[in-house]
Amino acid sequence: MNQNDLSPYRYPLRPDVRMFSEAGYVTEADFLIERLLKDDAVDQFERERLLLEKHRLSELCSDFPYDGKEALRLLKENDPSASETTLTEYRLSGKVPTALVDGTIHYHRRFLDTVGKQVMSEERKKDLSYRRSVAEQLRKYGHAEASLTVHIGVAMPKDLPSGSNVHVELPLPVTSMMTHDVKILRQGGGLVSCDAEKSRRRCARFDGKAGAGDEFWIEYSLVNSLQYQDMEKLTECCPITKPWKCKEEPPYLVKTPYLEDLASSICDGERNPLRRAKRIYEYVTRNLRYSYMPTYQSIANLAEYGAMMRSGDCGIKASLFIMLCRLSGIKADWRGGMYATPDGISNHDWALFAIPEVGSFFADCSFGSSEDPLLHEQYFGNLDLMRIPCCSVLAHAKEIHGGFWRSDPTDNQNAEAWLDDKPLSRNDLIDNRKIVSFSFR
């Protein structure tokens, strides 16, 4: 099996391993996988699926480190009034992700961040004001533009010996229907190469000697431009076009009977493609609550997971929107990268969909979940200017890096770093992403 290739999720997991794995008996499942592989008791396809499951179980343990006792202690530190009942309610209502690890309920490593997302902080209010400002400008003038210069870097772990031979990848922006004039300005750490601007997944690659705290970095500028799309008017005059043939992209963007029936029930015979897309947008934004997710590589089907759990982050929501559109005869694709405001940079995913004879449009089902009517409407067909798109495909990073698993083989948002003989953990690397300049035009 090639590391970073998640396509074996297409194959069923043999029943004896699945029994332990689905029941959360991680140690038993891992032991059985080891024995089956050692005894060479499986064919090539079973082997690939078992190796992927072994990796998934390892990621599961990393993603869900807190048992109930530790989770309650952390929750009380954050909110002294919280109790065991509070924690149980979060779990039963699906507000925070949980998993069984060797028979014990464990909580996601960012469960406190998920809880905090439900609080309207001053920082969040300011962020929403940026989004509203772009939405209002688009409606008033018909267009909007912003220039960004950013510093994207990663510092080495505190215990890395001086003079270590380090390999690094940093995400770079791709050109798109909104992003142009991308310029690489400065770099540090030994830049080796940069992917082409039209790559589906674009990175800058570094090789160099480094020690504890040393940083590999790159600075670049870009311009984002938007033209306002009046979706109501476009919908009224939208032609009834031939349905787009559903495209599958294993392992995540694939048909399942559940998703096919869900798409059919949402669209309910609607022939206007823009109305079908809007119905799907309404379903995703109104039925999936926001929650930080396990690493995507540990989930076999992102779209179905989100639909069944009724929760997800930006990528889960984007995946579900994309797959439901495709199953409804609408071309839709992935967009991943970063969300960059004058105050900082974070990871983000969204979607792009297209209607023949009408045009291509954005959909952000995460930001579109807003209770603010303006923002809810804004993110169906339009977007904001605070984007750094770095990939247009999901789970495309299949190349081998010394035989190591990436921290994230699904998206292109964070630094990846490794030595000649081992990967460097995402938990040990220190991200240094910051805005150098940001101006709305």
Side-chain angles (χ1 to χ4, degrees):
M1 175 189 176
N2 291 337
Q3 271 75 2
N4 305 303
D5 181 3
L6 304 174
S7 61
Y9 271 135
R10 296 174 297 167
Y11 309 143
L13 190 61
R14 53 181 287 153
D16 50 356
V17 175
R18 187 176 72 241
M19 174 184 68
F20 288 118
S21 188
E22 290 183 349
Y25 287 97
V26 175
T27 302
E28 290 289 343
D30 189 71
F31 178 81
L32 181 55
I33 291 171
E34 284 281 3
R35 177 162 181 163
L36 290 167
L37 295 174
K38 181 180 178 181
D39 293 347
D40 201 23
V42 295
D43 62 30
Q44 171 192 344
F45 307 107
E46 286 180 299
R47 174 177 291 276
E48 290 178 356
R49 182 63 182 88
L50 289 173
L51 286 169
L52 181 54
E53 186 65 13
K54 185 176 176 63
H55 175 69
R56 188 192 74 82
L57 293 172
S58 174
E59 290 295 310
L60 177 78
C61 293
S62 297
D63 271 334
F64 295 90
Y66 308 124
D67 62 15
K69 183 178 180 181
E70 179 65 7
L72 181 58
R73 184 187 69 79
L74 292 170
L75 183 61
K76 279 181 165 292
E77 284 184 359
N78 187 65
D79 177 10
S81 67
S83 65
E84 189 170 348
T85 301
T86 310
L87 186 63
T88 300
E89 178 58 27
Y90 283 148
R91 173 173 60 83
L92 294 178
S93 64
K95 289 183 178 178
V96 296
T98 57
L100 280 174
V101 179
D102 287 337
T104 303
I105 295 171
H106 278 61
Y107 289 79
H108 189 257
R109 58 189 171 83
R110 297 193 69 181
F111 84 96
L112 286 178
D113 292 330
T114 295
V115 173
K117 273 281 186 180
Q118 301 163 28
V119 178
M120 183 58 73
S121 64
E122 290 302 316
E123 180 182 358
R124 180 164 171 75
K125 288 179 182 178
K126 190 174 182 181
D127 184 32
L128 292 175
S129 73
Y130 292 134
R131 301 179 200 176
R132 281 193 61 88
S133 176
V134 174
E136 290 167 352
Q137 183 176 345
L138 277 173
R139 281 161 175 74
K140 183 175 182 179
Y141 300 107
H143 61 87
E145 189 170 278
S147 298
L148 295 75
T149 300
V150 298
H151 175 107
I152 306 296
V154 62
M156 294 299 100
K158 297 177 181 179
D159 59 353
L160 185 70
S162 179
S164 296
N165 196 27
V166 182
H167 314 278
V168 171
E169 285 187 1
L170 296 175
L172 286 176
V174 297
T175 55
S176 68
M177 60 185 281
M178 71 173 288
T179 302
H180 55 95
D181 290 351
V182 177
K183 297 177 183 177
I184 295 175
L185 306 176
R186 290 172 290 276
Q187 57 83 24
L191 180 65
V192 175
S193 65
C194 293
D195 295 327
E197 286 187 25
K198 293 186 178 180
S199 300
R200 300 186 74 188
R201 179 182 179 281
R202 191 180 183 214
C203 289
R205 294 176 175 83
F206 298 77
D207 288 336
K209 300 288 185 181
D214 290 340
E215 183 184 7
F216 293 81
W217 58 273
I218 192 165
E219 290 184 1
Y220 48 78
S221 62
L222 58 95
V223 177
N224 284 330
S225 302
L226 290 171
Q227 298 294 321
Y228 179 61
Q229 304 287 350
D230 189 328
M231 300 306 288
E232 287 190 10
K233 288 184 179 179
L234 289 169
T235 299
E236 290 303 319
C237 62
C238 181
I240 307 304
T241 57
K242 182 180 179 180
W244 184 75
K245 185 178 180 181
C246 180
K247 176 185 177 183
E248 293 187 276
E249 294 180 85
Y252 291 134
L253 300 176
V254 295
K255 298 178 184 177
T256 70
Y258 175 75
L259 290 176
E260 287 181 296
D261 288 351
L262 180 61
S264 178
S265 69
I266 292 170
C267 294
D268 193 27
E270 174 61 60
R271 298 184 64 207
N272 184 312
L274 272 179
R275 287 200 177 98
R276 291 202 302 275
K278 183 62 181 298
R279 286 189 179 191
I280 292 167
Y281 175 81
E282 292 292 339
Y283 176 84
V284 176
T285 56
R286 295 313 187 202
N287 285 280
L288 272 68
R289 69 171 63 88
Y290 190 91
S291 175
Y292 286 104
M293 289 286 105
T295 175
Y296 289 171
Q297 59 191 297
S298 68
I299 302 173
N301 188 315
L302 298 181
E304 193 166 66
Y305 180 95
M308 299 187 75
M309 293 299 293
R310 299 293 191 275
S311 67
D313 60 6
C314 54
I316 295 284
K317 293 184 179 188
S319 299
L320 182 56
F321 176 84
I322 291 166
M323 203 60 223
L324 290 175
C325 279
R326 291 184 179 186
L327 289 167
S328 304
I330 300 167
K331 185 179 187 297
D333 290 297
W334 178 266
R335 291 295 181 269
M338 292 171 274
Y339 176 68
T341 74
D343 301 317
I345 300 174
S346 57
N347 295 342
H348 199 57
D349 301 309
W350 58 101
L352 182 74
F353 68 100
I355 308 296
E357 303 176 37
V358 182
S360 296
F361 309 96
F362 296 108
D364 188 328
C365 293
S366 177
F367 287 3
S369 297
S370 173
E371 295 299 325
D372 183 327
L374 174 64
L375 295 182
H376 178 67
E377 292 301 321
Q378 169 73 10
Y379 288 105
F380 177 73
N382 293 283
L383 206 61
D384 55 58
L385 297 168
M386 294 80 78
R387 305 284 163 140
I388 306 177
C390 297
C391 64
S392 60
V393 63
L394 183 59
H396 188 63
K398 297 179 181 179
E399 68 271 23
I400 300 173
H401 295 277
F404 309 133
W405 275 97
R406 290 171 167 274
S407 293
D408 182 8
T410 59
D411 221 327
N412 185 31
Q413 298 168 324
N414 294 103
E416 299 278 352
W418 63 98
L419 306 179
D420 291 335
D421 58 348
K422 67 176 182 179
L424 294 173
S425 169
R426 63 185 175 189
N427 297 324
D428 297 329
L429 296 170
I430 304 168
D431 272 328
N432 184 21
R433 302 187 294 185
K434 56 189 177 183
I435 297 292
V436 177
S437 66
F438 192 117
S439 62
F440 293 105
R441 296 180 178 178

